[in-house]
Amino acid sequence: MVHVSMTVNGRNVSAEIDPRTLLVQFLRDTLRLTGTHVGCDTSQCGACTVHVDGAAIKSCTTLAISCNGSTVTTIEGLAKAGKLHPMQQAFQDNHGLQCGFCTPGMIMASVDMVNRCGPDLDEATIRHELEGNICRCTGYHNIVRSVAQGAREMGAAATAQAAE
Amino acid sequence: MYAFEYHRPTTLAGALADLENADAKPLAGGQTLLPTMKQRLASPSALVELSGVPELSGIARDGDAVVIGAMTRHIDVAQSPVVAGAIPALAALAGGIGDPQVRNRGTLGGSLANNDPAADYPGAALALGATIVTDRRRIAAEDYFTGLFETALEPGELITKVSFPIPQKAAYVKFPSPASRYALVGVFVAKTADGVRVAVTGSGESGVFRVDSFETALSANFSPSALDGLSVPADGLNSDLHADADYRAHLIGVLAKRAVAAAG
Amino acid sequence: MSATGIGASVKRLEDIRFITGKGRYVDDVNRPGQAFAYFLRSPHAHATIDKIDASEALKAPGVVAIFTGDDIAADKVGGLICGWMIHSKDGSPMQAGAHPALAQGKVRYVGDHVAVVIADTYAQARDAGEQIVVDYTPLPAVVDPAKAAEADQAQVHDAAPNNTCFNWHLGDKAATEAAFAAAAHVTKLDLVNNRLIPNAMEPRAAVGDYDSGTDTITLYTTSQNPHVARLVLSAFIGLAPEHKLRVIAPDVGGGFGSKIFIYAEETVCAWAAKKIDRPVKWTADRTEAFLSDAHGRDHVTHAELALDASGRMTGVRVHTIANMGSYLSTFASSVPTYLYAPLLSGQYDIPAIYAEVDAVYTTTAPVDAYRGAGRPEATFVIERLVELAARETGRDPAEFRRQNFVTQFPHQTPVIMAYDVGDYAQALDKALALADYKGVGARKAASAAKGKLRGVGFSAFIEACGIAPSAAVGSLGAGVGLWESAEVRVNPIGTVEILTGSHSHGQSHETTFAQLVSDRLGIPIGNVSIVHGDTDKVQMGMGTYGSRSGAVGMSAIVKALDKIEAKAKKVAGHVLEASDQDIEFKDGKFTVKGTDKSIDFGSVALQAYVAHKFNGQELEPGLKESAFWDPTNFTFPAGVHICEVEIDPETGVVKVDRYTAVDDFGKLINPMVVHGQVHGGIAQGIGQALLEGAVYNDDGQLLTASYMDYCMPRADNLPSFTIDTIETPCPSNPLGIKGCGEAGAIASPPAVINAITDALGHEDVTMPATPQVVWRATQKAPLKRAAE
């Protein structure tokens, strides 16, 4: 067993874990943060996407112990003070989800996309940048619109914040 | 995943000491190793996490080369102004590995040490004539890639950095496998003072390889039309569900022309 | 139309939990003291099991129990069943081999269940599973359905000679032969409808939980139809009587058919939980999902279309070999029969149709319904035939279709179906305009100038859904009725709970059903909640598949709401001191006709429960009603899809450049949701046409057992879609709606392939039309067409 501690959604957590514990297992089984999902074994579907130290990663392909000392954000930590993150709101506004299983990973990947690529995203960029996430329900049509809206609103929020 | 011991050294010396155990494996980005272990196809007795070793990171221009630390993530190579200025084809290649989440964790050294025949970096290393620097020696790319998932690395030997000579022009064009998005065929073309080098990844039964006939033709005339009528034989190329050897051979020719055109 | 009523694109009420990570899927369920199951699966496609030695595994850390087929047999756990009886041409019943939940004596596909290991942790169970020693004697695999019935093939089931499940037929053979004898032109095609793996993003999972105090088993499972699961597990498999078996299907992450069926793993988890008196949890990893989820499609077909000299279609003749896989899954036999051949008339007035279907066993995973189920296969046959016939006879594919459209309704086809209503030409015209069909020539020229090939393809699909009239399907062999139930519980302050037998796993029922209730009762949509997926809460229901939740499930709600309104009028009459005949109900208010005396819905609800204003012996207190709706017909959504592709002949890459769909789903409850269903269906159909295909090698090993090799559509494989609708209200249900869940997947594969073959100038392309397939096809010279 090894000792791991990290900050998850602003909360300091620590536990004794088997070194082979994946980050997603730590989140789901130890912390009971079940919003992060597992959809494949080969690191392709992206349902397990979370942010570690500000970057989107696949928590099924990351050891929990590798995140010792890191700051982790999951889908449960995205809304602040009861207000949905603009990307979450955009997915609802644009019917960017159906069964909801891929959605947490989609949203976390999309937030990361905006952080890397900026708020003005054209359709081709969005589709390309979603390469690491698979959805079986929506045909991506409304996900693309969701991400575009979420990106614009993240940009507007950042501008407004900078002006304050 | 089978059980293993976990080490997280903070110095290169510490990492090498941990890797003296023959069944230990370095954990670089883990983007290939961990899925393999999850499917119980690999069972190292120990993993040695390298992310805490500062000597293994960084990107720097060193004369006529760009030197990149082994633990540099793909995203860092893709976004590096140093790489973009000196070898834009390398930055573009790194920006096309896997997907954004994979690029946020996967590393140069991990990719080269694994030498997956469908990986992208081996194409760049071979075409650019890179030198793989380890804890104990410098290995020319020619000598480094020895077969499928096989390299010249000795047990316990660790890549510390890679030196990529700066070409006059270069481009990499990948044809991804429809399902996995790994390279079904990837062609890296580099024009250097010593001539043109063409490396093909994703296709060879023994991994990455160079195409002499293309290099000769392009060294004489660096334009797509120089490759008219030339082809690589299907013998020695992989056949799988997504592409048989004939199709791969055909794609190599197409992509090589496109790479030359992209290199300008 | 109110902002939340019928016809409004109301944002989904269920979204909040999904976008905040608060969805509750089966793998999120954890029961105190739970153990974990690992299924040891067959590495062989076909083998006898000679011996299973679990003695070392039983000693491994954390192991609680190991069970095999012998234990299942000793406990008299029944086999998995197929609930639809098909009879062969000669009248004999289909041959169904036994399907034990854990293999008994023989394994029949890679992934077949050999043993279950139950341990304190999943890792321990899996570790121990590797220590079980199984002696197999491998037998030859049977992989190719086209050859499965040949004499030299190994026998999958002793009960099914020549690996044949049935030889079925439909239609008038003599009339069809006569039509072909008199034909001016006959178009012939050989087609393979590629085998698909459904790949709902949530892998299947189950948690069995036994309460010895009440002798009750609770099974949490990823099901589209928890009551059907309970019925089968109880009445046929015999785990417990229905009142001692609770099945809960909480949030379910997509189904597409694959979660209709009752599988071995959930059966074993429920049974073992009682056996060891401890909760047992299992969650498939993706590899297990690939190996053991029921696959879809897998038809090999020869089809012919007869035309007269004027271009009228006079006959269709089809022979199909359908791969059933190794065992008959829950509804497998219905898919290539009654969900297939009755759709072979398409949107066309064709006087004679004859179809023969040979269903065969192979040593591959069971094959059952996958989005569309039979109807995509039929649509692929007819729409490929029609497109080719137009090409062969020099006719415009749109006008050739128009010439043959059914225009008078109702229309009785020669293959069972009675089309109730439609306007196929209207959809065609709208699609042609939206797709800018007139501009195709110019766009083809522009592509050619870039060295690319452009093609356009049509699919004028019709399907039969909203399944189905119970007596009708019963006469065709169904073991169940296909009505739906609803219960409307009005609470004393006027909020409403709807308990439905339908199950939402992406279909948006929590929103669309609430829209219906809000609209009808004139109450805020936030005052309505939808309860589903729990057999202890909801009365018997039939679940969600076959695009039935709107047409059948919502109709049951309407019927129950009718009863609520009638009862509420009586209560209102007592309160307002008027006859209930004189009470009008509108916009949430009960009013005495011709007066200003009124009372709102919530107050009536309260009066119904306090029962102060009426005699409780004459009028029952309370306001709760239930209803069962049994449809009188299928619904027949139809539409025209037009696909435009551009092919890079150097690489074979096909880009779907434009995709236009104009569909008729009758009245729409929520256009946003309907469009979303169409988007997803089209994506799966484009996936079938271009990307997806399950491949077994000659030894019966599944080569496409992960996302490394099975190509799922990703965002950059697809364009944005141009979607529109027309509306001919369905006459057979009170809302005038038709099913929309499967249409996209039914319509799109032939549209894509017709576009590719148009670009190539010949028909020699198989699905999936991967870059390699298409590049090879570009090497073949275009055919000289009649039109040229």
Side-chain angles (χ1 to χ4, degrees):
Chain A
M1 302 297 271
V2 291
H3 182 80
V4 66
S5 70
M6 63 182 88
T7 304
V8 178
N9 300 334
R11 191 162 64 94
N12 295 323
V13 297
S14 60
E16 299 296 317
I17 59 170
D18 184 329
R20 57 178 157 167
T21 306
L22 298 166
L23 178 59
V24 69
Q25 294 168 329
F26 182 69
L27 295 171
R28 287 182 56 80
D29 301 341
T30 306
L31 303 182
R32 292 284 190 244
L33 292 169
T34 54
T36 302
H37 296 151
V38 178
C40 77
D41 328 324
T42 50
S43 200
Q44 264 147 347
C45 82
C48 65
T49 301
V50 301
H51 295 180
V52 174
D53 298 326
I57 60 104
K58 293 184 174 175
S59 62
C60 78
T61 313
T62 303
L63 296 176
I65 187 62
S66 294
C67 301
N68 193 39
S70 290
T71 298
V72 176
T73 305
T74 72
I75 189 69
E76 290 93 341
L78 211 51
K80 299 284 182 225
K83 188 172 171 5
L84 294 176
H85 185 281
M87 193 61 77
Q88 291 172 311
Q89 187 62 58
F91 269 71
Q92 186 190 28
D93 289 349
N94 295 280
H95 191 27
L97 62 149
Q98 291 179 23
C99 82
F101 193 79
C102 77
T103 309
M106 279 286 175
I107 290 174
M108 298 309 285
S110 300
V111 171
D112 179 74
M113 184 195 310
V114 180
N115 290 341
R116 285 181 295 106
C117 306
D120 296 318
L121 300 173
D122 62 21
E123 177 171 345
T125 301
I126 294 170
R127 288 184 182 275
H128 175 67
E129 291 290 330
L130 286 176
E131 192 172 10
N133 293 76
I134 298 175
C135 169
R136 193 54 150 169
C137 292
T138 64
Y140 304 97
H141 183 103
N142 285 337
I143 289 179
V144 171
R145 276 137 196 86
S146 301
V147 176
Q149 177 189 315
R152 282 194 305 273
E153 289 176 3
M154 282 173 70
T159 307
Q161 201 169 25
E164 280 171 11
Chain B
M1 215 180 276
Y2 296 105
F4 54 83
E5 283 180 25
Y6 175 80
H7 302 284
R8 192 168 195 276
T10 53
T11 64
L12 184 57
L16 292 169
D18 290 333
L19 285 167
E20 281 175 12
N21 170 357
D23 291 334
K25 267 189 183 293
L27 178 62
Q31 299 304 285
T32 304
L33 178 60
L34 292 175
T36 309
M37 289 172 65
K38 279 163 65 181
Q39 294 180 78
R40 301 194 161 207
L41 300 172
S43 52
S45 63
L47 286 186
V48 181
E49 171 106 41
L50 299 178
S51 61
V53 181
E55 297 100 302
L56 299 176
S57 288
I59 300 173
R61 174 87 180 243
D62 179 12
D64 293 334
V66 172
V67 179
I68 304 177
M71 282 297 289
T72 308
R73 300 175 308 157
H74 307 322
I75 183 152
D76 297 322
V77 176
Q79 294 182 341
S80 161
V82 174
V83 180
I87 320 177
L90 186 62
L93 175 148
I97 297 173
D99 55 50
Q101 294 97 314
V102 167
R103 293 194 286 275
N104 278 335
R105 283 200 80 74
T107 63
L108 169 63
S111 173
L112 289 178
N114 188 48
N115 192 21
D116 188 314
D120 299 303
Y121 267 132
L126 191 58
L128 292 168
T131 300
I132 288 79
V133 182
T134 75
D135 59 288
R136 61 196 72 163
R137 58 180 170 147
R138 300 170 65 85
I139 310 173
E142 262 78 2
D143 304 323
Y144 175 81
F145 301 105
T146 56
L148 297 183
F149 300 100
E150 299 284 338
T151 70
L153 290 175
E154 296 164 352
E157 186 174 13
L158 198 61
I159 301 173
T160 55
K161 57 194 173 188
V162 181
S163 175
F164 293 95
I166 299 169
Q168 295 169 349
K169 294 174 176 181
Y172 177 63
V173 178
K174 167 161 69 171
F175 192 89
S177 172
S180 71
R181 305 293 179 103
Y182 277 82
L184 198 69
V185 177
V187 179
F188 201 109
V189 173
K191 184 170 188 285
T192 72
D194 301 330
V196 175
R197 293 165 66 104
V198 178
V200 177
T201 190
S203 298
E205 283 177 350
S206 313
V208 65
F209 64 92
R210 286 170 64 183
V211 185
D212 293 343
S213 61
F214 287 15
E215 293 185 354
T216 305
L218 291 169
S219 293
N221 172 19
F222 192 75
S223 76
S225 62
L227 298 175
D228 286 347
L230 295 181
S231 61
V232 296
D235 286 349
L237 300 184
N238 288 326
S239 279
D240 58 31
L241 210 54
H242 307 287
D244 63 20
D246 287 338
Y247 180 52
R248 276 195 164 89
H250 167 76
L251 283 178
I252 290 168
V254 172
L255 300 195
K257 285 186 181 182
R258 291 183 181 184
V260 172
Chain C
M1 182 176 81
S2 81
T4 59
I6 289 174
S9 287
V10 178
K11 288 181 202 171
R12 297 204 321 167
L13 305 174
E14 52 268 71
D15 280 351
I16 296 300
R17 71 176 183 275
F18 295 130
I19 60 181
T20 56
K22 299 296 167 64
R24 189 165 183 258
Y25 301 87
V26 173
D27 191 49
D28 303 339
V29 172
N30 292 292
R31 304 299 300 159
Q34 70 191 4
F36 294 83
Y38 167 75
F39 285 87
L40 182 68
R41 294 173 185 276
S42 171
H44 300 288
H46 197 193
T48 56
I49 300 172
D50 303 325
K51 189 181 168 200
I52 300 175
D53 180 357
S55 53
E56 285 304 309
L58 275 166
K59 295 179 209 158
V63 171
V64 179
I66 296 175
F67 299 119
T68 67
D70 289 346
D71 300 292
I72 291 274
D75 272 16
K76 299 194 167 44
V77 176
L80 305 179
I81 61 151
C82 178
W84 199 302
M85 172 54 72
I86 297 295
H87 287 86
S88 284
K89 290 174 209 172
D90 63 5
S92 61
M94 67 186 186
Q95 300 300 318
H99 189 183
L102 294 173
Q104 292 169 358
K106 198 173 172 190
V107 287
R108 293 181 173 86
Y109 67 104
V110 173
D112 205 350
H113 315 75
V114 175
V116 62
V117 183
I118 300 167
D120 291 335
T121 71
Y122 178 73
Q124 288 171 333
R126 190 164 174 181
D127 288 345
E130 293 182 358
Q131 297 184 46
I132 298 175
V133 181
V134 185
D135 294 341
Y136 295 101
T137 301
L139 299 167
V142 183
V143 174
D144 183 353
K147 294 182 182 154
E150 293 176 2
D152 63 345
Q153 297 286 301
Q155 291 297 295
V156 182
H157 293 280
D158 294 341
N162 300 318
N163 293 323
T164 297
C165 181
F166 54 77
N167 304 112
W168 175 87
H169 68 160
L170 183 69
D172 186 334
K173 185 176 184 181
T176 307
E177 299 298 334
F180 275 85
H185 180 87
V186 175
T187 292
K188 300 179 181 183
L189 261 180
D190 288 296
L191 299 165
V192 173
N193 203 286
N194 45 323
R195 184 179 180 114
L196 304 176
I197 302 178
N199 273 299
M201 290 317 298
E202 178 206 23
R204 286 189 295 116
V207 183
D209 191 0
Y210 176 65
D211 181 343
S212 59
T214 58
D215 190 29
T216 301
I217 298 172
T218 300
L219 173 66
Y220 301 83
T221 184
T222 47
S223 175
Q224 301 177 213
N225 33 238
H227 289 88
V228 176
R230 184 177 68 162
L231 174 67
V232 171
L233 289 168
S234 178
F236 297 93
I237 297 176
L239 293 186
E242 281 176 282
H243 67 300
K244 294 291 186 185
L245 178 59
R246 177 182 186 184
V247 177
I248 300 174
D251 286 329
V252 171
F256 314 111
S258 69
K259 292 171 181 168
I260 298 171
F261 322 122
I262 288 72
Y263 285 94
E265 294 90 348
E266 57 200 339
T267 303
V268 169
C269 285
W271 166 76
K274 179 173 180 180
K275 187 114 179 133
I276 66 169
D277 195 9
R278 200 174 152 183
V280 176
K281 181 171 182 175
W282 168 80
T283 302
D285 62 29
R286 184 55 61 183
T287 304
E288 288 182 287
F290 273 106
L291 291 174
S292 67
D293 287 3
H295 295 182
R297 317 282 192 257
D298 209 351
H299 284 193
V300 179
T301 294
H302 176 76
E304 301 183 0
L305 173 66
L307 305 182
D308 70 14
S310 72
R312 293 291 306 181
M313 302 175 194
T314 55
V316 168
R317 188 158 62 185
V318 172
H319 177 254
T320 291
I321 297 171
N323 191 352
M324 299 283 96
S326 49
Y327 301 98
L328 274 191
S329 174
T330 313
F331 288 108
S333 54
S334 67
V335 176
T337 52
Y338 291 109
L339 294 175
Y340 170 63
L343 276 303
L344 286 170
S345 194
Q347 297 186 358
Y348 313 107
D349 185 356
I350 305 175
I353 298 174
Y354 181 65
E356 293 174 286
V357 178
D358 299 329
V360 297
Y361 290 107
T362 58
T363 55
T364 63
V367 179
D368 205 326
Y370 167 62
R371 200 171 194 169
R375 292 149 290 166
E377 295 92 318
T379 304
F380 192 66
V381 169
I382 193 73
E383 287 304 294
R384 288 284 292 120
L385 273 177
V386 167
E387 192 92 7
L388 179 56
R391 290 171 184 168
E392 286 177 345
T393 60
R395 292 180 163 90
D396 177 82
E399 296 314 308
F400 177 55
R401 285 178 168 86
R402 189 195 304 277
Q403 179 190 353
N404 284 282
F405 278 161
V406 170
T407 54
Q408 301 295 316
F409 297 91
H411 171 81
Q412 178 62 53
T413 73
V415 275
I416 299 176
M417 292 301 175
Y419 298 168
D420 50 4
V421 67
D423 186 346
Y424 307 147
Q426 187 191 348
L428 177 62
D429 288 335
K430 203 166 185 178
L432 289 171
L434 280 174
D436 184 25
Y437 185 57
K438 288 185 181 135
V440 167
R443 291 195 294 277
K444 281 187 173 178
S447 292
K450 295 185 295 178
K452 303 281 177 67
L453 305 170
R454 182 173 288 265
V456 62
F458 286 81
S459 175
F461 83 100
I462 187 166
E463 66 128 332
C465 63
I467 57 175
S470 298
V473 295
S475 73
L476 302 177
V480 290
L482 287 170
W483 45 265
E484 193 48 88
S485 78
E487 183 178 321
V488 178
R489 288 186 192 163
V490 180
N491 296 315
I493 57 168
T495 60
V496 176
E497 284 148 24
I498 303 294
L499 294 90
T500 172
S502 300
H503 186 280
S504 182
H505 31 279
Q507 290 87 344
S508 319
H509 298 167
E510 288 172 51
T511 303
T512 54
F513 288 15
Q515 280 179 259
L516 162 63
V517 176
S518 163
D519 196 274
R520 177 71 186 269
L521 298 180
I523 60 175
I525 196 166
N527 285 3
V528 185
S529 64
I530 307 299
V531 178
H532 67 106
D534 184 341
T535 60
D536 261 16
K537 293 181 180 168
V538 181
Q539 64 189 350
M540 181 68 189
M542 293 309 296
T544 289
Y545 40 84
S547 301
R548 65 192 306 274
S549 299
V552 189
M554 289 180 89
S555 294
I557 297 173
V558 170
K559 198 172 166 188
L561 288 169
D562 288 344
K563 295 183 187 177
I564 289 285
E565 183 177 324
K567 170 84 179 282
K569 276 181 173 167
K570 287 183 183 166
V571 175
H574 284 284
V575 176
L576 299 174
E577 297 175 330
S579 157
D580 61 298
Q581 302 300 317
D582 293 330
I583 303 290
E584 286 178 334
F585 180 57
K586 200 174 166 232
D587 298 333
K589 266 190 177 165
F590 295 88
T591 307
V592 182
K593 261 183 228 168
T595 76
D596 59 359
K597 285 169 69 180
S598 71
I599 180 171
D600 68 17
F601 179 76
S603 301
V604 170
L606 184 64
Q607 287 299 330
Y609 281 98
V610 298
H612 294 167
K613 302 280 189 182
F614 54 87
N615 181 332
Q617 277 66 51
E618 291 171 2
L619 181 63
E620 275 182 37
L623 197 52
K624 180 189 86 113
E625 299 288 350
S626 69
F628 290 70
W629 173 267
D630 198 356
T632 55
N633 196 353
F634 293 82
T635 75
F636 296 96
V640 173
H641 289 214
I642 303 176
C643 178
E644 202 167 314
V645 300
E646 188 176 68
I647 298 172
D648 176 356
E650 284 191 332
T651 60
V653 169
V654 176
K655 177 188 167 198
V656 178
D657 191 49
R658 293 169 173 234
Y659 197 99
T660 306
V662 176
D663 297 316
D664 180 359
F665 299 123
K667 296 274 188 191
L668 306 186
I669 304 296
N670 182 325
M672 175 192 83
V673 165
V674 170
H675 285 197
Q677 291 295 308
V678 176
H679 297 153
I682 293 171
Q684 288 181 3
I686 292 176
Q688 167 161 32
L690 295 181
L691 308 169
E692 301 179 41
V695 180
Y696 285 90
N697 71 7
D698 292 344
D699 297 328
Q701 296 290 332
L702 182 63
L703 299 181
T704 51
S706 80
Y707 292 144
M708 297 293 282
D709 288 305
Y710 188 90
C711 185
M712 290 285 279
R714 300 197 206 193
D716 59 3
N717 293 121
L718 300 167
S720 283
F721 309 118
T722 304
I723 307 289
D724 208 339
T725 52
I726 65 162
E727 181 183 307
T728 65
C730 177
S732 68
N733 64 64
L735 293 164
I737 60 179
K738 309 176 188 180
C740 66
E742 298 163 288
I746 291 166
S748 50
V752 176
I753 298 300
N754 285 338
I756 294 172
T757 50
D758 179 46
L760 293 172
H762 65 76
E763 306 300 317
D764 201 3
V765 176
T766 53
M767 295 195 293
T770 62
Q772 173 169 241
V773 166
V774 174
W775 172 72
R776 206 140 265 144
T778 63
Q779 309 299 301
K780 186 176 163 176
L783 296 172
K784 210 149 177 65
R785 301 288 193 197
E788 287 164 8

